[in-house]
Structure formats: structure tokens, C-alpha cells
Amino acid sequence: MKKTLFVLLLTVLFATFALAETVITVAAGAVGQELELAKDAAAKYMDMHPGVTVNVLETPDLATDRLGLYLQFFEAESPEVDVYMIDTIWPGDLAAHLVDLYQFDGVKELVDTMFPAMVENDTVDGKLVAIPWFTDAGLLYYRKDLLEKYGLEVPKTWDDLENAAKIIMDGEKKDNPDFWGFVWQGDAYEGLTCDALEWIVSNGGGTIISTDKEITIANEKAAEIIDKAAGWVGTISPNGVVGMPEEGARAVWQAGNAVFMRNWPYAYSLSNAEDSAVAGKFGVSPLPAGDSGRGAAALGGWQLAVSKYSENPEIAVDVALYLAGYESQKNRAIVGSLNPTIEALYQDPEVLEATPIFGELYDVFVNAVPRPSTVSAPNYNEVSTAFFQAVHSVLTGVETDTMAALEELALDLEDITGFEIIW
Ligand code: GLC
């Protein structure tokens, strides 16, 4: 009798516990301070919602690897992850696995405070598949102190950048053999798609695939600037740049071993942190121009999406709304220099004081160039993979005829998308 009572008690206890404790798992990034910031916000949410545990799952740094992991969860229709942090290029590719957030209370009110283009980007066939969380644009980080020391200006063109990098490297390498001119994202992954798109757009070579579904990549302007970038490898950029992602570039830069770095805004607050050799010594500007006469920034950024396979979609949406809400975005902007998606935060004095580039480079952020993800969905990842592999083969010297590499790429893109090639 006693034993039965004990078992009964245990069952009741367990049931109460199980009922009270909803676990929401958020797949988040760990580049820079992202993981700590997500965990912080999760802790705050849990304080306000004692019945909910929010687990933050760390995912690979490289967008391409992260997508690979997500696809495994989605293919298994796994309920293990409720909220996914998804790249700005993935809504179309992943829509089939995501809930329509417009069905949930509070979502429309929040996204109405965000940049309409970002909300539009996350809308697939009228369904809102993700809430814009932070946005990104490619920027040029430069060493103010060194440009001054050598009497040089902030480069406005790629030629200026090459020139300044060479002069400063020649001078600095004498004391510091590890010193380089320019670090960027040359590894074979999504980051290279962003960097190469910036070069090509800045040179008037189009956006790989146009919004009118034309494959435009096989053109001289594109070939010319990719060749130029290939010339940086081993001269102004270390040979290892062809294996370098964002964090690799930041490590070289933050140790004080580069004049220039191409990176996203997250590197701003870290570069100014106490442990950074470049704190207070650098500036940030738009990326240099090529033949088009204007620099171009790739549009990046991350969104929060809720899985169709989540067992607790309502609570998952509530967590996403909190993470992407005003207070949480404000904190991320101040502590992590992660660009808000809520327009009003660009006028918030505390945000602008902590991260002045949000005001100074506002035009860069709102004019950033999207990758051709909407037009090629659900095949964007294949398109991008073909593109970064082709560019990488030129950077590493595997392919020496750049125009031929781009023509071959155009044929691959035709197979993937069925779009027409403009020769
Ligand atoms: C940043 C951008 C993202 C991009 C990635 C490439 O995380 O926000 O959009 O795909 O970099 O490395």
C-alpha cells in the first residue's frame, strides 16, 4: 500500500513538473558575442516566464555549415529545435519547414516597426516565415593611426586600397613580419559569396543572377575584379586568406596585424574592446569602388524562424518575439554592435553613442545589395555554392582563365535554376 502511494506521488510530481516545464530550444550563432548575447536574453525571458526553459544551442560559425546542420533537423522533421536563427538568404529555401508567424499574436505589431524590405525578404508566398533579428552589411575597417603615419587617405577605390596596403605593409613588416595589408573572407563558403558579390557589384558586373531571372555572371567586369582579388592573395593578403572566414580575419586584424579588414558590424564593438590591440585606432567606411564608381555592401543578417515540427509553437513564437523585441535588440546593438532591424533604434541616443557607425554609415545599411536568394529560391544554396566554388578556384589558382570559369559557372547556374544566360 505504502509503495503504491509512493509511486502515485512520484507520478503526480513528475506530471506537474512536466506540465510546468516547457523547453524551447533556440539554434543560435556563436560568431563574436552572439552566443553570450542570446544566452543573456534567454535568461531574462526565463526570469519572466518561470515555467519555460530556453536552451540556446550553439551552431557552427560558417553559414554554409550551419545550413547543413539545420537541413539534417528539418529532413528528420525533428522537434528538437523550436526556434532557428536563419540567414537572410534562406527564407525561400527553408519556407517549407517553417510556420507562418502571422498566425500568432503580437507578430504583426512587432514587424510593423521593422524595415519593410527586411520583412518582405522574410515573407514567402504571403507567409511570414521569420522575424528579422539583426541586419548586416559589408564594411571596410581601416587603421586610422597607420593611414596618418604614412600620410594616406581612407581608400575610395580598390586601387587606392592596394596602393595604401602595399606602402604600409612595406613599412610595418620591418618590425612585424606578421603584418598584412588586407584581410577578408576568402574561404570557400557563403562568406566568399558576399565578398565577391561586393567586388563585382562595385565594378559594374551585376549580381550573379538579376531580379529578372537572367544569369548575368559571365561578364568581363566580373572577371576583371575577381582577377584583381586573386592578385591580392599572397601579396597584400596572406596566402591563408583563401581559408579565412569572418572570425579568422578578425583575429589577424584585432591582433594589430592588418591595415584593412572587410567584415560585418559585429567586429566593431569587439575591435574596441579592452583586449583588442586596435581599440581606438581604427575607423570604418564604405567598401571601395571599382569601375562602377561606387562601393557596394552585401546585405546580410539573421532572422528568427519557428519550426513546423516544434511541439510548442506558441511559446516558441513568444520567445522569438522577446529575442527580436525592442529591449533585446537595443542591448545587442549596444553591447555587440549588431544592427537592429527596428527602425527607431537608429535614432536611439544610447545606441548611437555606443555604436556611432549605425548613424554614420546608415546609408550603407539601407542600400546594401541582396544576394540573388529570393529569385533563385528554393535553390539559392546551390547557386551560391557553385558561385563561391568558382571564385575560390580562381583565388587559389586552380583555374587560371577567369572568364572561362565564369562561363562554366553560368552553365551550372542554368542547370540549377533553368534561367536564361546573358552572354
Ligand atoms: C554574416 C551575414 C550573413 C552571411 C554570412 C556569410 O553572418 O549576416 O548574411 O551569409 O555572414 O558568412
Side-chain angles (χ1 to χ4, degrees):
M1 178 63 197
K2 262 192 179 160
K3 200 174 161 199
T4 327
L5 199 66
F6 182 64
V7 171
L8 196 73
L9 248 176
L10 261 186
T11 318
V12 171
L13 259 177
F14 181 74
T16 321
F17 183 74
L19 267 183
E21 206 57 28
T22 305
V23 179
I24 298 295
T25 300
V26 181
V31 171
Q33 303 173 77
E34 279 182 67
L35 194 66
E36 297 89 89
L37 287 166
K39 284 188 172 163
D40 248 36
K44 287 190 188 128
Y45 183 89
M46 288 190 279
D47 281 349
M48 293 184 292
H49 302 84
V52 182
T53 298
V54 181
N55 278 335
V56 177
L57 178 74
E58 179 177 349
T59 63
D61 275 3
L62 269 54
T64 307
D65 298 345
R66 192 175 294 163
L67 179 64
L69 174 74
Y70 288 6
L71 289 174
Q72 287 176 23
F73 282 118
F74 286 140
E75 271 150 30
E77 304 192 357
S78 165
E80 228 168 299
V81 176
D82 301 279
V83 180
Y84 287 86
M85 160 175 160
I86 70 165
D87 202 329
T88 194
I89 49 189
W90 298 341
D93 282 19
L94 298 181
H97 304 286
L98 305 173
V99 303
D100 177 7
L101 294 161
Y102 277 140
Q103 297 169 342
F104 297 85
D105 288 345
V107 173
K108 181 154 188 330
E109 288 75 2
L110 178 62
V111 299
D112 278 352
T113 67
M114 296 179 173
F115 290 95
M118 295 175 199
V119 179
E120 167 92 47
N121 179 75
D122 294 355
T123 307
V124 181
D125 298 331
K127 297 185 178 125
L128 184 73
V129 300
I131 302 174
W133 195 16
F134 66 100
T135 184
D136 256 342
L139 303 171
L140 181 72
Y141 288 75
Y142 60 88
R143 286 284 298 275
K144 226 168 21 189
D145 57 332
L146 293 176
L147 289 177
E148 263 164 37
K149 178 172 166 189
Y150 291 85
L152 296 162
E153 301 284 318
V154 178
K156 291 263 181 294
T157 66
W158 295 112
D159 287 339
D160 292 347
L161 180 141
E162 277 179 10
N163 187 37
K166 275 184 199 138
I167 294 172
I168 299 176
M169 260 178 78
D170 283 351
E172 297 297 304
K173 254 200 194 303
K174 289 179 198 135
D175 292 330
N176 177 3
D178 295 330
F179 195 85
W180 289 97
F182 184 31
V183 287
W184 38 281
Q185 292 72 46
D187 196 2
Y189 78 118
E190 187 62 35
L192 177 56
T193 293
C194 298
D195 286 41
L197 178 74
E198 288 163 351
W199 311 330
I200 296 171
V201 173
S202 78
N203 210 40
T207 55
I208 311 167
I209 296 177
S210 74
T211 45
D212 298 333
K213 303 192 170 181
E214 291 163 341
I215 299 165
T216 57
I217 189 59
N219 70 78
E220 289 294 342
K221 291 282 172 209
E224 186 186 279
I225 196 84
I226 295 171
D227 274 341
K228 193 178 192 53
W232 299 335
V233 181
T235 57
I236 59 169
S237 305
N239 281 315
V241 77
V242 295
M244 207 174 258
E246 285 83 2
E247 288 291 75
R250 185 170 70 82
V252 176
W253 158 261
Q254 224 171 280
N257 288 339
V259 196
F260 300 115
M261 169 176 74
R262 184 270 177 213
N263 216 323
W264 307 101
Y266 85 93
Y268 180 83
S269 65
L270 290 163
S271 299
N272 264 331
E274 260 173 36
D275 63 351
S276 162
V278 299
K281 295 181 181 167
F282 70 94
V284 186
S285 79
L287 286 161
D291 275 0
S292 79
R294 293 180 55 188
L299 174 68
W302 293 84
Q303 346 287 314
L304 292 169
V306 172
S307 166
K308 246 191 180 168
Y309 318 112
S310 165
E311 279 159 3
N312 295 294
E314 296 218 343
I315 302 178
V317 172
D318 197 53
V319 170
L321 280 175
Y322 178 74
L323 295 178
Y326 193 95
E327 278 316 311
S328 156
Q329 283 210 28
K330 178 169 173 173
N331 184 53
R332 295 163 62 80
I334 291 174
V335 181
S337 56
L338 292 168
N339 279 60
T341 58
I342 295 176
E343 289 191 65
L345 280 167
Y346 288 83
Q347 259 104 56
D348 187 305
E350 286 170 274
V351 169
L352 293 176
E353 201 200 322
T355 317
I357 55 168
F358 289 168
E360 292 155 12
L361 297 175
Y362 184 76
D363 284 352
V364 175
F365 300 122
V366 292
N367 291 313
V369 182
R371 284 158 275 173
S373 53
T374 302
V375 69
S376 58
N379 302 312
Y380 171 73
N381 189 51
E382 268 187 85
V383 165
S384 177
T385 304
F387 175 68
F388 69 65
Q389 282 174 345
V391 175
H392 198 253
S393 70
V394 176
L395 297 179
T396 51
V398 170
E399 180 66 71
T400 48
D401 183 342
T402 307
M403 198 57 212
L406 293 184
E407 282 165 7
E408 215 175 290
L409 168 66
L411 292 169
D412 287 347
L413 297 183
E414 184 184 38
D415 282 349
I416 297 168
T417 60
F419 300 159
E420 197 189 328
I421 304 176
I422 306 294
W423 294 108

PDB file of all heavy atoms in Angstrom, residues 373-393:
ATOM      1  N   SER A 373      18.907  35.560 -53.652  1.00  0.00           N
ATOM      2  CA  SER A 373      18.291  34.419 -52.957  1.00  0.00           C
ATOM      3  C   SER A 373      16.791  34.318 -53.219  1.00  0.00           C
ATOM      4  O   SER A 373      16.269  33.217 -53.399  1.00  0.00           O
ATOM      5  CB  SER A 373      18.570  34.495 -51.461  1.00  0.00           C
ATOM      6  OG  SER A 373      18.182  35.743 -50.935  1.00  0.00           O
ATOM      7  N   THR A 374      16.124  35.469 -53.269  1.00  0.00           N
ATOM      8  CA  THR A 374      14.675  35.406 -53.487  1.00  0.00           C
ATOM      9  C   THR A 374      14.404  34.846 -54.883  1.00  0.00           C
ATOM     10  O   THR A 374      13.576  33.947 -55.063  1.00  0.00           O
ATOM     11  CB  THR A 374      14.056  36.812 -53.325  1.00  0.00           C
ATOM     12  OG1 THR A 374      14.367  37.271 -52.019  1.00  0.00           O
ATOM     13  CG2 THR A 374      12.556  36.793 -53.508  1.00  0.00           C
ATOM     14  N   VAL A 375      15.150  35.345 -55.870  1.00  0.00           N
ATOM     15  CA  VAL A 375      14.894  34.945 -57.254  1.00  0.00           C
ATOM     16  C   VAL A 375      15.233  33.465 -57.497  1.00  0.00           C
ATOM     17  O   VAL A 375      14.593  32.800 -58.302  1.00  0.00           O
ATOM     18  CB  VAL A 375      15.653  35.894 -58.225  1.00  0.00           C
ATOM     19  CG1 VAL A 375      17.149  35.703 -58.163  1.00  0.00           C
ATOM     20  CG2 VAL A 375      15.189  35.731 -59.646  1.00  0.00           C
ATOM     21  N   SER A 376      16.199  32.930 -56.757  1.00  0.00           N
ATOM     22  CA  SER A 376      16.590  31.549 -57.048  1.00  0.00           C
ATOM     23  C   SER A 376      16.048  30.537 -56.032  1.00  0.00           C
ATOM     24  O   SER A 376      16.355  29.341 -56.133  1.00  0.00           O
ATOM     25  CB  SER A 376      18.116  31.434 -57.147  1.00  0.00           C
ATOM     26  OG  SER A 376      18.711  31.856 -55.947  1.00  0.00           O
ATOM     27  N   ALA A 377      15.246  30.986 -55.059  1.00  0.00           N
ATOM     28  CA  ALA A 377      14.672  30.056 -54.076  1.00  0.00           C
ATOM     29  C   ALA A 377      13.813  29.015 -54.791  1.00  0.00           C
ATOM     30  O   ALA A 377      13.162  29.356 -55.771  1.00  0.00           O
ATOM     31  CB  ALA A 377      13.814  30.827 -53.073  1.00  0.00           C
ATOM     32  N   PRO A 378      13.780  27.782 -54.330  1.00  0.00           N
ATOM     33  CA  PRO A 378      14.455  27.227 -53.160  1.00  0.00           C
ATOM     34  C   PRO A 378      15.850  26.689 -53.464  1.00  0.00           C
ATOM     35  O   PRO A 378      16.339  25.839 -52.734  1.00  0.00           O
ATOM     36  CB  PRO A 378      13.514  26.098 -52.748  1.00  0.00           C
ATOM     37  CG  PRO A 378      12.958  25.597 -54.055  1.00  0.00           C
ATOM     38  CD  PRO A 378      12.913  26.773 -54.988  1.00  0.00           C
ATOM     39  N   ASN A 379      16.476  27.204 -54.521  1.00  0.00           N
ATOM     40  CA  ASN A 379      17.787  26.652 -54.902  1.00  0.00           C
ATOM     41  C   ASN A 379      18.937  27.617 -54.636  1.00  0.00           C
ATOM     42  O   ASN A 379      20.008  27.467 -55.217  1.00  0.00           O
ATOM     43  CB  ASN A 379      17.785  26.295 -56.401  1.00  0.00           C
ATOM     44  CG  ASN A 379      16.698  25.297 -56.715  1.00  0.00           C
ATOM     45  OD1 ASN A 379      16.570  24.299 -56.024  1.00  0.00           O
ATOM     46  ND2 ASN A 379      15.892  25.579 -57.720  1.00  0.00           N
ATOM     47  N   TYR A 380      18.716  28.613 -53.787  1.00  0.00           N
ATOM     48  CA  TYR A 380      19.782  29.593 -53.599  1.00  0.00           C
ATOM     49  C   TYR A 380      21.075  28.954 -53.113  1.00  0.00           C
ATOM     50  O   TYR A 380      22.155  29.289 -53.576  1.00  0.00           O
ATOM     51  CB  TYR A 380      19.370  30.725 -52.633  1.00  0.00           C
ATOM     52  CG  TYR A 380      20.576  31.573 -52.312  1.00  0.00           C
ATOM     53  CD1 TYR A 380      21.100  32.442 -53.264  1.00  0.00           C
ATOM     54  CD2 TYR A 380      21.269  31.438 -51.110  1.00  0.00           C
ATOM     55  CE1 TYR A 380      22.260  33.169 -53.026  1.00  0.00           C
ATOM     56  CE2 TYR A 380      22.431  32.154 -50.854  1.00  0.00           C
ATOM     57  CZ  TYR A 380      22.921  33.013 -51.817  1.00  0.00           C
ATOM     58  OH  TYR A 380      24.078  33.704 -51.581  1.00  0.00           O
ATOM     59  N   ASN A 381      20.966  28.042 -52.170  1.00  0.00           N
ATOM     60  CA  ASN A 381      22.214  27.494 -51.627  1.00  0.00           C
ATOM     61  C   ASN A 381      23.050  26.814 -52.707  1.00  0.00           C
ATOM     62  O   ASN A 381      24.270  26.911 -52.695  1.00  0.00           O
ATOM     63  CB  ASN A 381      21.919  26.536 -50.468  1.00  0.00           C
ATOM     64  CG  ASN A 381      23.201  26.135 -49.774  1.00  0.00           C
ATOM     65  OD1 ASN A 381      24.009  26.988 -49.403  1.00  0.00           O
ATOM     66  ND2 ASN A 381      23.441  24.836 -49.652  1.00  0.00           N
ATOM     67  N   GLU A 382      22.385  26.171 -53.644  1.00  0.00           N
ATOM     68  CA  GLU A 382      23.121  25.543 -54.760  1.00  0.00           C
ATOM     69  C   GLU A 382      23.768  26.598 -55.647  1.00  0.00           C
ATOM     70  O   GLU A 382      24.895  26.443 -56.105  1.00  0.00           O
ATOM     71  CB  GLU A 382      22.152  24.725 -55.606  1.00  0.00           C
ATOM     72  CG  GLU A 382      22.048  23.280 -55.182  1.00  0.00           C
ATOM     73  CD  GLU A 382      21.200  22.515 -56.173  1.00  0.00           C
ATOM     74  OE1 GLU A 382      21.729  22.057 -57.197  1.00  0.00           O
ATOM     75  OE2 GLU A 382      19.980  22.433 -55.924  1.00  0.00           O
ATOM     76  N   VAL A 383      23.024  27.672 -55.885  1.00  0.00           N
ATOM     77  CA  VAL A 383      23.542  28.772 -56.707  1.00  0.00           C
ATOM     78  C   VAL A 383      24.786  29.354 -56.046  1.00  0.00           C
ATOM     79  O   VAL A 383      25.842  29.513 -56.667  1.00  0.00           O
ATOM     80  CB  VAL A 383      22.453  29.874 -56.878  1.00  0.00           C
ATOM     81  CG1 VAL A 383      23.050  31.171 -57.400  1.00  0.00           C
ATOM     82  CG2 VAL A 383      21.343  29.376 -57.791  1.00  0.00           C
ATOM     83  N   SER A 384      24.668  29.656 -54.763  1.00  0.00           N
ATOM     84  CA  SER A 384      25.768  30.275 -54.054  1.00  0.00           C
ATOM     85  C   SER A 384      26.971  29.338 -53.992  1.00  0.00           C
ATOM     86  O   SER A 384      28.115  29.771 -54.143  1.00  0.00           O
ATOM     87  CB  SER A 384      25.317  30.673 -52.646  1.00  0.00           C
ATOM     88  OG  SER A 384      26.403  31.198 -51.940  1.00  0.00           O
ATOM     89  N   THR A 385      26.707  28.066 -53.768  1.00  0.00           N
ATOM     90  CA  THR A 385      27.815  27.105 -53.682  1.00  0.00           C
ATOM     91  C   THR A 385      28.581  27.055 -55.005  1.00  0.00           C
ATOM     92  O   THR A 385      29.819  27.090 -55.022  1.00  0.00           O
ATOM     93  CB  THR A 385      27.290  25.709 -53.278  1.00  0.00           C
ATOM     94  OG1 THR A 385      26.565  25.859 -52.053  1.00  0.00           O
ATOM     95  CG2 THR A 385      28.417  24.715 -53.075  1.00  0.00           C
ATOM     96  N   ALA A 386      27.849  27.013 -56.110  1.00  0.00           N
ATOM     97  CA  ALA A 386      28.519  26.991 -57.424  1.00  0.00           C
ATOM     98  C   ALA A 386      29.339  28.271 -57.601  1.00  0.00           C
ATOM     99  O   ALA A 386      30.473  28.237 -58.097  1.00  0.00           O
ATOM    100  CB  ALA A 386      27.478  26.858 -58.534  1.00  0.00           C
ATOM    101  N   PHE A 387      28.768  29.383 -57.156  1.00  0.00           N
ATOM    102  CA  PHE A 387      29.451  30.666 -57.311  1.00  0.00           C
ATOM    103  C   PHE A 387      30.718  30.732 -56.465  1.00  0.00           C
ATOM    104  O   PHE A 387      31.802  31.031 -56.967  1.00  0.00           O
ATOM    105  CB  PHE A 387      28.487  31.802 -56.944  1.00  0.00           C
ATOM    106  CG  PHE A 387      29.116  33.172 -56.945  1.00  0.00           C
ATOM    107  CD1 PHE A 387      29.545  33.759 -58.126  1.00  0.00           C
ATOM    108  CD2 PHE A 387      29.288  33.883 -55.756  1.00  0.00           C
ATOM    109  CE1 PHE A 387      30.136  35.022 -58.131  1.00  0.00           C
ATOM    110  CE2 PHE A 387      29.873  35.140 -55.755  1.00  0.00           C
ATOM    111  CZ  PHE A 387      30.300  35.713 -56.943  1.00  0.00           C
ATOM    112  N   PHE A 388      30.603  30.424 -55.159  1.00  0.00           N
ATOM    113  CA  PHE A 388      31.815  30.596 -54.340  1.00  0.00           C
ATOM    114  C   PHE A 388      32.881  29.570 -54.714  1.00  0.00           C
ATOM    115  O   PHE A 388      34.073  29.852 -54.600  1.00  0.00           O
ATOM    116  CB  PHE A 388      31.530  30.691 -52.836  1.00  0.00           C
ATOM    117  CG  PHE A 388      31.029  29.468 -52.110  1.00  0.00           C
ATOM    118  CD1 PHE A 388      31.796  28.320 -51.977  1.00  0.00           C
ATOM    119  CD2 PHE A 388      29.781  29.499 -51.469  1.00  0.00           C
ATOM    120  CE1 PHE A 388      31.334  27.225 -51.270  1.00  0.00           C
ATOM    121  CE2 PHE A 388      29.311  28.395 -50.759  1.00  0.00           C
ATOM    122  CZ  PHE A 388      30.092  27.250 -50.667  1.00  0.00           C
ATOM    123  N   GLN A 389      32.456  28.411 -55.201  1.00  0.00           N
ATOM    124  CA  GLN A 389      33.474  27.433 -55.624  1.00  0.00           C
ATOM    125  C   GLN A 389      34.227  27.935 -56.860  1.00  0.00           C
ATOM    126  O   GLN A 389      35.446  27.801 -56.955  1.00  0.00           O
ATOM    127  CB  GLN A 389      32.835  26.074 -55.889  1.00  0.00           C
ATOM    128  CG  GLN A 389      32.543  25.348 -54.577  1.00  0.00           C
ATOM    129  CD  GLN A 389      31.770  24.057 -54.756  1.00  0.00           C
ATOM    130  OE1 GLN A 389      31.196  23.811 -55.824  1.00  0.00           O
ATOM    131  NE2 GLN A 389      31.729  23.242 -53.709  1.00  0.00           N
ATOM    132  N   ALA A 390      33.483  28.536 -57.784  1.00  0.00           N
ATOM    133  CA  ALA A 390      34.130  29.051 -58.997  1.00  0.00           C
ATOM    134  C   ALA A 390      35.111  30.172 -58.626  1.00  0.00           C
ATOM    135  O   ALA A 390      36.258  30.195 -59.084  1.00  0.00           O
ATOM    136  CB  ALA A 390      33.073  29.560 -59.976  1.00  0.00           C
ATOM    137  N   VAL A 391      34.656  31.088 -57.766  1.00  0.00           N
ATOM    138  CA  VAL A 391      35.537  32.198 -57.369  1.00  0.00           C
ATOM    139  C   VAL A 391      36.753  31.651 -56.613  1.00  0.00           C
ATOM    140  O   VAL A 391      37.889  32.062 -56.850  1.00  0.00           O
ATOM    141  CB  VAL A 391      34.775  33.232 -56.503  1.00  0.00           C
ATOM    142  CG1 VAL A 391      35.713  34.317 -55.999  1.00  0.00           C
ATOM    143  CG2 VAL A 391      33.614  33.842 -57.285  1.00  0.00           C
ATOM    144  N   HIS A 392      36.511  30.702 -55.738  1.00  0.00           N
ATOM    145  CA  HIS A 392      37.603  30.137 -54.942  1.00  0.00           C
ATOM    146  C   HIS A 392      38.639  29.479 -55.842  1.00  0.00           C
ATOM    147  O   HIS A 392      39.847  29.576 -55.594  1.00  0.00           O
ATOM    148  CB  HIS A 392      37.039  29.136 -53.926  1.00  0.00           C
ATOM    149  CG  HIS A 392      37.968  28.832 -52.798  1.00  0.00           C
ATOM    150  ND1 HIS A 392      38.642  27.634 -52.694  1.00  0.00           N
ATOM    151  CD2 HIS A 392      38.362  29.571 -51.730  1.00  0.00           C
ATOM    152  CE1 HIS A 392      39.402  27.658 -51.602  1.00  0.00           C
ATOM    153  NE2 HIS A 392      39.245  28.811 -50.996  1.00  0.00           N
ATOM    154  N   SER A 393      38.165  28.824 -56.902  1.00  0.00           N
ATOM    155  CA  SER A 393      39.120  28.141 -57.789  1.00  0.00           C
ATOM    156  C   SER A 393      40.017  29.156 -58.491  1.00  0.00           C
ATOM    157  O   SER A 393      41.170  28.867 -58.789  1.00  0.00           O
ATOM    158  CB  SER A 393      38.395  27.231 -58.785  1.00  0.00           C
ATOM    159  OG  SER A 393      37.707  28.015 -59.725  1.00  0.00           O
TER     160      SER A 393
END
